[in-house]
Amino acid sequence: MRRIAKRAWALWVIIGLLLSGVGFFLYEYFACSGDWVIHAGNPHIYEDGNKVASGTIVDRNGKILLNLGQNRTYTADLPLRQATLHWLGDRQGYISAPVISHYAEYMTGFDVVGGIYHYGDAAGKTTLTLSSKVQKAALEAMGDYRGTVAVYNYKTGEIVCAVTTPTYDPENVPDIAGDTTGAYEGVYLNRFTQSVYIPGSIFKLVTTAALLEDVDGILDQTFTCTGSMEFGVDKVTCAVPHGKMTLKTALQHSCNCAFAQMALELGAEKLQAYVEKSGVLDRISFDGITTAQGNFQANGAADVEVAWSAIGQHKDQMNPCAFLTFVGAIANGGQGVKPYIVQTVSVGEKTTYSAQSTRMDRVMSEQTAQILGELMRNNVVNNYGANNFPGLTVCAKSGTGEVGGGREPNALFTGFVSDEKYPLAFIVVVEDGGYGQVVGMPVISKVLSACKEVMDS
């Protein structure tokens, strides 16, 4: 009897191990089979080990941008090839296309029961949120400048336009390694997602939001600008003395001295806490992309450094995509929407992926967002000129990011359209461009006109 009992016990152990193994396999199959299928070693999906081998990428209106089969065939439209290079990548792999590889599973029509059941019958199609017309308008507006220009729908999160320059034609790759002119400096970077910049005075929007949230009666206070504010041997300066300033007029004239005084009243700790809450420092992940992280250091800094930090200098560094979502939050009542660039993926008649809008954490109250939007609208009406944006109610702020080293400052311009029909937030960064109002504003004016034309049609 003892021998039988031992054998029965051993049998139960074996059965238990078998069931555990089956359970583990089923879990791995249903949880991880998609990862197995899209592994770069699968020759049915990839060619050259890392390129999706079949399918098409189209813009929001169905215009074909890239055919992934037969070693990639790009659109016949040269400016469009250049304008979308940093999203679609090149054949050599110098510029990656995480959007394409991230959705490889959906492009194959894979499911855990049928496998790649559509493969060979119908190639997958990925529809981007980008507008070809706006992309080309943005590329033309940037001209020979290096930098980035982007527009997104702050209600839905759709990226309507995001262009990085310099760029090149993936069908006719130049000798970048042998170039001595500097024309292709940083060409492999997607500046919208991978770069960080000294923001200059566009950062005053973040400081203004912090002031409105934390300093009672800030709108009624006045501050005097004599052209400079002394901090021992250091000082904060303005281009001209602005005289008596309120928060409204200080933002309108971008008065450094007034903002320095307000920043010290707010205090370094509160400023640091709000900047971290605002999301402008955060990495944002969407569609297989993770943006670069920003930097802000006010805690423990000297008063002059806190003042310059509040103005958008010192050690401030902002990623354009992250800052764009902050501006979108202002337009959207204080709560941003995560951006995205892939609208749908389909195989044959079946939609295998469809994007959904994702709200981000609230960064300011609705009241603060409303007041800040009104202040930005005042900037346009009484400084930049509303006639620069025909048919659109634009709220904006310019910036001049001093980079040092004998270089011209970066020109920045950001804001949003408050019209219900055109819920668009935007940002422009022109490297070594000079003043944001002079250089950045004409760029975005052309891009927004193209957006309006597309949305009207």
Side-chain angles (χ1 to χ4, degrees), residues 281-339:
L281 307 180
D282 294 348
R283 293 180 183 272
I284 300 175
S285 295
F286 64 95
D287 297 332
I289 300 162
T290 299
T291 64
Q293 186 169 15
N295 182 65
F296 184 84
Q297 298 177 22
N299 277 347
D303 284 351
V304 67
E305 294 171 333
V306 174
W308 279 118
S309 293
I311 294 164
Q313 292 291 150
H314 187 42
K315 296 182 179 180
D316 299 7
Q317 290 187 322
M318 303 293 140
N319 169 257
C321 181
F323 205 90
L324 179 63
T325 61
F326 172 76
V327 175
I330 300 171
N332 212 28
Q335 188 172 21
V337 175
K338 182 181 286 191

Side-chain angles (χ1 to χ4, degrees), residues 223-230 236-246 249-250 253-258 261:
F223 306 87
T224 302
C225 170
T226 61
S228 67
M229 182 176 175
E230 305 291 334
V236 169
T237 59
C238 286
V240 296
H242 291 110
K244 188 171 289 188
M245 294 272 104
T246 63
T249 55
H253 296 287
S254 207
C255 178
N256 291 341
C257 294
Q261 295 171 60

Side-chain angles (χ1 to χ4, degrees), residues 135-196:
Q135 286 289 108
K136 292 198 292 182
L139 181 68
E140 181 180 357
M142 288 293 285
D144 294 329
Y145 289 126
R146 293 194 309 272
T148 185
V149 53
V151 181
Y152 100 125
N153 185 316
Y154 57 76
K155 294 290 187 184
T156 65
E158 301 166 67
I159 300 174
V160 180
C161 164
V163 167
T164 285
T165 55
T167 182
Y168 60 84
D169 179 8
E171 294 281 17
N172 187 20
V173 181
D175 181 13
I176 296 171
D179 177 69
T180 59
T181 66
Y184 296 104
E185 181 183 347
V187 71
Y188 297 133
L189 280 177
N190 184 328
R191 282 165 156 83
F192 177 60
T193 59
Q194 296 175 289
S195 294
V196 291

Side-chain angles (χ1 to χ4, degrees), residues 266-277 281 296-299:
L266 177 65
E269 290 186 6
K270 286 185 177 180
L271 180 58
Q272 181 79 41
Y274 183 78
V275 171
E276 292 175 359
K277 172 189 173 184
L281 307 180
F296 184 84
Q297 298 177 22
N299 277 347

Side-chain angles (χ1 to χ4, degrees), residues 19-93:
L19 291 174
S20 298
V22 171
F24 178 75
F25 171 78
L26 290 173
Y27 168 78
E28 286 286 298
Y29 179 79
F30 283 97
C32 306
S33 55
D35 295 332
W36 300 343
V37 168
I38 64 172
H39 188 273
N42 187 341
H44 298 291
I45 297 178
Y46 296 93
E47 59 183 22
D48 298 334
N50 62 359
K51 299 174 186 174
V52 179
S54 179
T56 57
I57 313 296
V58 303
D59 82 340
R60 66 189 298 120
N61 295 316
K63 182 178 179 64
I64 295 178
L65 305 175
L66 175 63
N67 188 327
L68 293 166
Q70 300 177 346
N71 196 31
R72 292 183 166 226
T73 302
Y74 294 84
T75 173
D77 188 329
L78 171 59
L80 187 55
R81 291 199 301 267
Q82 296 171 318
T84 54
L85 173 67
H86 290 89
W87 296 109
L88 304 180
D90 58 1
R91 293 191 183 99
Q92 293 74 25

